[in-house]
Amino acid sequence: SHHVTIAQIFDEVEILNSLQKPKVIKVLGSDGREYKFLCKPKDDLRKDTRMMEFANVLNHLLATKSHHLGNASRNLYIRTFAVMPLTEDCGMIEWIENTRGFRHCCQDVYIQENMFDRRTNRQIKDMYDAHFRKQASGTSIKKAREHGFHAQLLDKVLDRFPPRLHKWFLQH
């Protein structure tokens, strides 16, 4: 099989507006095509790699066993993408055009229900920071888990943002 290699890395970099400021880079492949990648700092992508491997197994099952599952006419599959952990805390993800992030799909519904506005992201960050400042005062992460500290934060967030993703799927 023919493996595509990197022929050129373009100088332009797009910096995304999120907490870790990930960057989108563009490379030219040896096949003459342009490819984009999301470079994620401070993020361990090893679990993401395993999830893509699992999705590929599911796709194989959907393709080979679809007549047993009653899915033959539906052509079900999971869209996969390349995930490349570079170290334990950074890596690259294949950029897929014309997709929306999970957060943006949820925000659509929260905006429709007047639960989200331009100040909300700052309020969430402040809630998160205050919660972890409280934990940082002498509590190890292990002890915090044992005492349900992370569950307390989840409860606070879910009080403010109850599950609504199903509504987005119903609309689209």
Side-chain angles (χ1 to χ4, degrees):
S1 75
H2 174 68
H3 295 285
V4 178
T5 59
I6 296 174
Q8 178 185 353
I9 300 174
F10 293 97
D11 291 336
E12 302 85 31
V13 174
E14 179 184 356
I15 301 172
L16 300 184
N17 189 21
S18 65
L19 187 62
Q20 299 298 339
K21 303 289 185 213
K23 284 103 181 129
V24 179
I25 64 166
K26 191 169 27 171
V27 301
L28 180 66
S30 57
D31 60 354
R33 289 182 48 209
E34 291 183 2
Y35 297 87
K36 284 185 176 181
F37 292 92
L38 178 66
C39 300
K40 297 195 72 174
K42 301 176 189 163
D43 199 354
D44 187 350
L45 298 181
R46 293 176 294 182
K47 285 183 185 175
D48 301 72
T49 303
R50 297 292 168 252
M51 286 303 299
M52 285 302 107
E53 290 171 356
F54 181 66
N56 283 320
V57 169
L58 290 176
N59 281 338
H60 177 75
L61 290 172
L62 287 169
T64 59
K65 308 290 185 201
S66 61
H67 60 283
H68 297 298
L69 301 172
N71 297 327
S73 63
R74 294 174 32 189
N75 288 329
L76 297 177
Y77 72 97
I78 300 168
R79 174 64 168 97
T80 59
F81 47 88
V83 178
M84 297 158 284
L86 301 174
T87 67
E88 289 180 2
D89 64 353
C90 74
M92 296 169 58
I93 298 175
E94 177 185 9
W95 185 264
I96 307 296
E97 295 292 343
N98 303 315
T99 59
R100 297 191 71 219
F102 177 75
R103 179 178 64 146
H104 296 104
C105 296
C106 292
Q107 279 180 0
D108 289 349
V109 177
Y110 290 131
I111 288 168
Q112 287 174 356
E113 297 186 7
N114 295 317
M115 299 172 71
F116 193 97
D117 62 31
R118 60 181 177 77
R119 297 169 303 202
T120 306
N121 282 330
R122 169 53 64 190
Q123 292 166 346
I124 294 168
K125 184 179 183 324
D126 290 347
M127 183 189 322
Y128 180 88
D129 289 346
H131 191 80
F132 280 98
R133 259 194 312 275
K134 196 166 107 181
Q135 178 204 318
S137 58
T139 307
S140 71
I141 292 174
K142 183 179 178 187
K143 285 209 183 290
R145 282 195 189 113
E146 289 170 3
H147 296 294
F149 197 78
H150 294 77
Q152 292 170 12
L153 176 60
L154 180 62
D155 288 342
K156 287 180 189 176
V157 172
L158 287 176
D159 282 346
R160 176 116 188 240
F161 299 101
R164 293 287 192 269
L165 186 59
H166 64 284
K167 290 186 176 186
W168 185 87
F169 280 106
L170 292 171
Q171 294 170 5
H172 295 86

